[in-house]
Structures are given as structure tokens and as C-alpha cells.
Amino acid sequence: MSMALEITRTVTITRLLGAASLLALAGVAAPAWAQESAQEASDPAAQTQPTGSEDVGEQAADAAQEDSGIVVTGFRRSLAEALEVKRDSVAAVDAIVAEDIAKFPDQNLAESLQRIPGISIQREGGEGRTITVRGLGAQFTRVRVNGLETVATSTEGAAANRDRAFDFNVFASELFNSIVVHKTAEASLDEGSLGAVVDLNTGNPLGGKRGLTLVASAQASYNDLSDDVGPRLAGLVSWKNQAGTFGVAVSAAYQENKTLELGNNTVRWQQSRFDSVAGVPCFFTSATSTTPAPNAGGVYRQSAGCNAVALAFHPRIPRYSEVGHDRERLGLTGSVQWAPSDATKVSVDGLFSRFKEDREEKHGEILFRNNERFIDVAAFEIDPATNNLVSGTFNDVYVRTEHYLRRSKTDFYQLGATWDQDLSDSLRFTLLGGFSKSDADIPIETSLMFDDRDATGYSYDYSDSRHPLLTFGTSVTDPAVFQLAEIRDRPSNVTNRFRTLSLRGEWDVADGLQFAGGGVYRRFQFDTTAFLRDTLVCPSRPAAAPDVVLGTITCTPSNVFGANAVYGFPAGNLGEIWDLGASGQPGGNTNSFLIPNLEAATAFTKLYERPLLSDVGNNRAVVEKVTGGYFEARAKGEIAGVRYAANAGIRYVKTDQSSTGIINGTTEVTVERSYEDFLPALNLAIFPTENLILRAAVADVITRPTLGQLTPGGSVDAFNFRVNFGNPFLEPYRATAYDLALEWYFAPQAIASVAVFKKDIASFPISVTRNGTFAETGLPLSILPSGSPAAASPNAPFQISTIENGTGASLKGIEFQLQAPFRFLPGFLKNMGGIANVTLVDSDATYTVSTAATNPATLALGSAARAATLFGLSKRAFNGTLYYEDDRFSARVSASYRSKFLENASATGNQFEGFNSTINVDASLRYRITDRIELSLEGINLTDDFRDRFTDVDANRNYEYNHFGRTIQVGARFKM
């Protein structure tokens, strides 16, 4: 809903050659609020140096403007400008310009990006968070803000982002006036992406009109599941002097909203042996004894019922849950530009964003996980098709209610400066420098648990797997049956810092031939720290002893079960009643629970006064210093009467990497290494006719390794010659990418295109266990304890468990795009139009996966190699928009579909985890009361689509099934 996006734009976009950087786009795709009249287009200070092919894009826009009766303002104009960016680029790009962002009912940038062909998004808490481009996940996409690479990190989901993925939910869409997605590589384009480079641009005041521009909007946002109304405000002030040599702009956006996430969760399924089945004991005091061994110890004795239940999969923690998301988003941008002459332009751009979220979870659950040994199965049913224990009744079950709160805040800021200088008519350079910091902090991440460890009469029924019936036979609202058994707090921080300095130049050697080159220095620093205050009130002990929290109660020995067992503090007045809302549960489900009261229980246990312990695996750091340069030749002309444009070049980068981690929980270790890459790239565009473009591209590309895998931290057993650690010597993902596309611009504001693409990925990391010497790990010998066998024989064989580069993978796909106004319709219907795109992708990668146990006596899991798609890849994706727009009224409805995809490997005998298909439908209505005032009504997720997460790709077992409600936004905006 950007303020910047309301002014009618009439300046045509300047040509791009290769869409090499967002800095070029700053002059090319000027912001909506910055557009002038056709007469202003002649102002040299408001233009960039034309570097592309002929004005085919202008012809489309001008033709639309001249078409009698067709309004080419607002959304239509933004579509035309986005097509011009795409049409005039040598490389494959897609763009969203100005009102294209503003007029979609998008809550953040991720949701704007999903409209682009080949892009799908991952949602957290009902909002888009990360993107997948042409089947490659978020860690394969690089993002630049005003030309500077950066990473924004949030903690929106179940865990903090401790990788290279960019969290787009940190930013409000109002702050940006253009997005360009580079789908093919160029030598002049920053490296680091197997998927795409996404450029975000915040302002260009010299592209605006002379004098003062003011824009403001206000909205009320209502979510029908949380029944909450929150404000959404934005504003812009821009000024440009009469000489057109100096401009300044500032913008701000603020939003508050509260949403609920309601549904059920299993935390995966697993196989386990129970205490008894249908009255038949499964464990006896010895292999030949007829005396059962209830609850603990003994020897498993096979029987038909015990074996069938042991080998079947049951939910580990079946539960219904409520997750509340209380968000606050603030964004500020500022831009100052000075162009004292036609040859000189200096820009300074700043951006600040603060994203705060309180995530509060409430759960009523059964803790089957690791407690099956003392649980009795009274009755059961097994589905032979999936081998799932789909229903059952259980006694001596471990009832748990849980209350969780995480307070998080991400502060992101960036400051950059650009100097564009023409040294002559044929020679120019651009100097760019800046820095950014993303500081994601979690000061509180608290969980409190009430337990009742001997409940009877519990039953579940997963016959309808996404709407299970969960009933608790014992009261789950009575404080007398519960004990406060466990307390947790896990504060953490993730900080990313970037510093960039680059110089690039262009030399027009001759008509149709240009040489370009430059150098870059970039420093990236990643730091994550995490701590624990976790403890059981009564740890497992063989004899009675005081609790370890306050020392005020006597815990019973661990082998004591039943009503006399003491494993926590009496719930007493430490709880509150929670009533489950509309979670898709069937009739007869248990919906009310006693859960811990966070304020009362944390005060009682003095949780926040407990000492912090290091969460060793999440205390690590990576520093990367990148130096390099590129050379690129750019040519355009005609061969046999057919126009062409091309660029070809090579990029060289050297990466100096320093990785820090913790070995054996106490010893900090830093490992340094360097590697080099030469990355050639070729892009070719052929114009058989003025409206037909054939594109081809080939390039070598890289993505640097996942940050978590680069840690040298882990464990070293110097007595048994074993090492388990990350791999700071992990090689980057390397691939060769091929693209071929045909684009037909058959009418103004219209395109029909098809693009095929293929990526041959040389390798990607896999977990391995092998034999080798300690020296092969690259870890310093100093971490081997003096006097240990390994210290005396460091060249002896070690068992090394780590991450290494495995065999490669392949990816191929095809994109279809169709966009057109419906001018062929009669009367007012010709103001309608449509946009649609379809992406079909497939890939082939081999993973080592966990396989189910087949022997009930041991329940030992196996492993096997299995071919599957790359993680995050949906084989099918669709986006469509139907719109209407005249000089007063506009309406739009948009739908986004994404097919099933794998998210990661699984465990407990399940093969892969992922999400089933989703479809989101959004709509908006707008009416201009006057030229200055507009009213809007928007709806987001109108079908209230449920998020369907599965474990095991074959059995499609329910992992998580929840919904977030519909969001309705009503507002008005004013411009001057």
C-alpha cells in the first residue's frame, strides 16, 4: 500500500542493458511518487544514461496511452513499466514497479514477490517469510537493497533464521517502489546465487516532480480468527528543487496486527514398544519368566499384538494448539540526491526497519515420545495401507499442557552512497559503498509444562488424519492432577553485518560495443549466540531427593509411578484455563485445559534468575571477506537485418573464510581457509521482429555453503578416536545454469512467453561417516587433551562424522506467462485485464534417508539412498490475477497455488518432511473520491486455507494442520 505508488506515472523507463544492478534501475524504474509529466522527462537530472536497445518498451507504453478510452494510470501503468524492464534487458529478469507492489493486498515483500513467475513463498504465522525461485530454496537467493547485498533475519517461525536465507517479512511493502528479480547471471552481477538475485529499491527523489509531494494512508486491519483490529499507516514527503539538481525524500510505514494460528500437531510419528497391548504384557522380568515387568526394565517378549503395535507408527505428541502472533512493524527510508551537472550524480540512501513479534503457544497434549514403555494400549486399530496406529485407547499416559512465550525483535539498518560520474561522452564510472546490520534478538523464549503422568482413558482417532479426535479420560482442568514438572528459557541472538565497496566503469568503444569492468570488496560477518535455562524440576534419580529448582519438595525416585509420584511442584494456583477455539476439531474433542500461567509460574520458580548455560551448537560465527572483479563486453547491432543484444564476460572472486565453533562444550576453535572461483556468463537476446524476443543464457554460478554446516564445533573423543563436527572446509554449491526463452509482446501492456531452464549442480552437502586421520579434519591438534591416546598418535585412524560435498543434482523446468488487457471486450469491460503464469519444475537428487524398523525385538532403524526432488521445490506453481480499472474504480482478485514440496529429511523412520499443496486467494477494491483521496477494501487469504505439513512422503502422515483466518483491511489515502 505504498504512498509512493499513487501518483500517475508518465515518464517512460530508460533502457537497461543486462539489468546489471539496482543502481541502474534507480533511474530506470522511477518510483510512482517520483514520476513527472512528459515534459519533465527531458530533465537530464531525472534520467539515467540510456544503455539498452531501441525504444521498443516506450512504444508499448505510448501505444497504450494513445489507445482511446483506455486508462493507463495506476496499476495498468505499473504493469507496462514492469514489462519494459523485462523487455529491454538482455538477461532474463522480472520486475514489480511502483503500484504493482502497492495495489496488491500484500502484507510484506514476500507476498508481493509471489506474483512473479517462478517464485513461490514459504509462510509463517499466516504471512510470507522466504521465497523459492525456480525450485531453489531461500538459501540460494541473494538479496540487494539499493545495490548492496544484505541479509535480514527474523524469528517469525518456530525457530530463528541462522542461515543465508533472507526474511522478507521484516519489511513492509510500502517502503519499496521497485523489485527486480535477475533469473540469469551476468559477469557484472554479484555472485552467490544459484536461484536468483533480488534487487529492492527504496527511492529516487530526482526522478520526481519539482516542489513538494505529500502522500499518506491509513488502514484498519481485521483478522477474523483473532478478532483483532490493528492499524496500518504510511506516509511520504519528497521535495525537488526547481533546477532539478537536488532532491530529498523520506517515507515511513507502521503496522500492528494480531493473528491466531489454530490447529493440530503430531511432532512426527514413530515406532515404539508399549508396556502392554489389549491386556497382554509386552515386558517380563526375564526371557523365560511369566511375571510381567510393568513400567520399566524387563525383557520384551514378542506377541502378535505387541509386535503389531510396536511396528506401527503412532503420533509422538498428538495435540491441538493455539499460536498467537502479536506483530509490530516499523520502517523508515531516506534518500538525498544531488546532480550539479548532467555528468555527475550523488545519492545517499538509508533504511531502517524494526520488526517485533510476541509468539505465544498453548498446547494440550500426550507425551507418547520416549514414554511408551509405561503406557498400556487398551484397544487399537492399524491402517494396513500406511502402517499407522490410526486409533487407540491408552492408560498410564503422560498428559502434558504447555505454555510458551517468545519475545523477539529484529532491527535492520542500512546506509549506502553512490557516485555516478561521466568522464566523457563514452566513459563513465559508478562508485558504491555502504554497510548494513540485521540484529535479531530473542531476550525471552520460555516454556512451562504441567504434567500428569498416570492418566487413564485417553483415546485418539486419526481416521480423518487432518481432523483427529483427541479425548482425555482424566480431567485436564483440575489443578489437583497436575504438577509443574519442567521449566525452560532459551534467549538467543543472530546478527548479520555487511560492508561493501565497489567500483565499476563503462567504456563505449564504438557504436554498438561497450566494455564494462569493476572490482568489489565485501565483508560478511555472521554471529549467533544462544543460552539455556532448561531444567526438570525433578531429574531422573534412583532415590528420593530435593527438587533442583527451589529445593522445597522431595522428589520420589524415578521408578515410582502413580498417584504417589512426585516429579514437580503442585499446580495449585500456578495455572489458568485455556479454551481451544475453532481448530477444525470434530465434535466430542477435549477443548479445555489447565495450562501454566506464565507470570505466576516464572515468578514462583525464579526462572529468570537462574544462570545462563551455553547452547553450544548455536554459539558460532562465520566471517567471509570477498574480493574480486569482472570484465564484460556488451554488444548490440544487426546481422542479416535481425537485431541482437548480448553481454559476455567473466567474474573472479576470492573468498577468505573464518569459521568459529565450540568443541566439547568448552573450547572455542577458529578455522580459516580461502577459495577462488572464475564465473563466466553469456546472455544473448535476438529480436526477429520488434515484438518478438528470443533469449539464451549460460553461466557458472555458486552459492556459498550453509552457515550452520561451516562450524568447526562439535565433539572429539580422544580416547576412542572419534570426531563429530561441522565442516569449515565445505565447498560452495557450484552449478552451470542454462536458460532459453521466447517472449511475444503482442499488444501494449501484453506478453505471452515461455522459458525453459536447467541447472546442473556439481555437488551439495551430505552427512557422512568415514575413517581418516585427525589432520584431515583441519582442526588444531591443540584440542586433543594432553596424555590422551589420540594426542600420542594423531595419525592413527579416526572415525570422522561430518558434512561433505556429495554427488550432484539436476534441476529443469519451464515457465509460461500470459498478461493482457481485455481491449477486445465491449464497453466498460475493456477496462478489464488478466495476468497468469505457470511454473513446472523437476529435479533429481539422492539423499540418505531413515527407514522404518522391521524387527520388533530391537526396533533398529535402517538407512537407504533415495532419489527425490531438491528441498523446497514445488513441481507446479500458478499465479493469476483478474483486474478491472477505470479512472475512478479498480478491483482485483489474485490466486497463488503451490504444489507439494519437501522441506528436509525426517527421522524416526519417516522419509522426508514437507508441505502439501496450498492456494491463497486475495482481493482488493478501490475507489477514487477525488484526485487526492482514495478509499480501499482488501481481503487476504479469503478461503482461509489450512497449512498442511506432512511427515513421510509415502504415508503422508499428519505433522501439522492449522489455519490463520482471513484478514480484511479498510483504509483511505491522501496525496498532494
Side-chain angles (χ1 to χ4, degrees), residues 778-803:
L779 298 175
L781 292 173
S782 60
I783 67 174
L784 297 176
S786 176
S788 66
S793 305
N795 294 320
F798 272 72
Q799 179 181 298
I800 303 172
S801 299
T802 187
I803 307 292

Side-chain angles (χ1 to χ4, degrees), residues 888-901:
R888 290 291 180 188
F889 177 74
S890 67
R892 258 167 288 167
V893 59
S894 303
S896 297
Y897 167 81
R898 181 179 187 181
S899 68
K900 179 173 72 175
F901 66 94

Side-chain angles (χ1 to χ4, degrees), residues 12 37 42 72 95 148 169 206 263 292 320 330 358 426 431 522 556 627 647 726 772 776 788 798-799 823 942 944 971:
T12 306
S37 63
S42 62
V72 191
L148 300 172
N169 58 346
L206 281 185
Y320 275 95
L330 170 67
D358 287 353
S426 61
L431 180 65
R522 184 170 61 247
T556 54
T627 54
N647 63 54
E776 292 176 14
S788 66
F798 272 72
Q799 179 181 298
R823 293 191 179 88
L942 292 177
D944 193 13

Side-chain angles (χ1 to χ4, degrees), residues 610-682:
R610 296 181 62 81
L612 288 170
L613 302 176
S614 175
D615 181 4
V616 174
N618 286 317
N619 283 271
R620 46 190 168 82
V622 176
V623 175
E624 290 174 345
K625 297 178 182 178
V626 175
T627 54
Y630 71 93
F631 174 78
E632 185 173 85
R634 304 166 181 172
K636 63 179 181 179
E638 291 187 3
I639 298 179
V642 177
R643 290 194 305 113
Y644 73 90
N647 63 54
I650 190 166
R651 189 175 188 88
Y652 164 79
V653 287
K654 179 185 179 185
T655 305
D656 296 311
Q657 172 191 297
S658 176
S659 304
T660 300
I662 298 176
I663 289 284
N664 292 343
T666 57
T667 305
E668 184 176 285
V669 177
T670 298
V671 176
E672 298 181 350
R673 54 92 56 112
S674 298
Y675 55 90
E676 298 176 314
D677 285 280
F678 292 88
L679 304 171
L682 169 67

Side-chain angles (χ1 to χ4, degrees), residues 881-895:
T881 297
L882 183 67
Y883 66 87
Y884 174 91
E885 186 172 62
D886 60 29
D887 60 347
R888 290 291 180 188
F889 177 74
S890 67
R892 258 167 288 167
V893 59
S894 303

Side-chain angles (χ1 to χ4, degrees), residues 16 32 38 71 74 338 368 370 383 402 456 479 601 725 768 816 831 878 891:
L16 292 174
V71 179
W338 178 49
F368 281 117
N370 301 330
D383 180 359
E402 184 175 348
T456 59
F725 75 122
V768 297
F816 300 94
N831 290 319
F878 164 81

Side-chain angles (χ1 to χ4, degrees), residues 101 162 291 360 401 888:
I101 298 172
R162 294 186 174 97
T291 303
E360 184 176 6
T401 67
R888 290 291 180 188

Side-chain angles (χ1 to χ4, degrees), residues 7-8 10-11 31-47 204-214 237-248 339 342 976:
I7 307 290
T8 301
T10 55
V11 178
W33 51 265
Q35 300 299 336
E36 281 202 349
S37 63
Q39 289 78 14
E40 289 284 353
S42 62
D43 183 356
Q47 301 183 55
N204 178 27
L206 281 185
K209 68 177 183 179
R210 293 177 173 84
L212 185 66
T213 298
L214 297 175
V237 179
S238 177
W239 179 80
K240 176 181 172 182
N241 67 1
Q242 292 300 313
T245 59
F246 182 79
V248 60
D342 294 348
M976 182 178 73

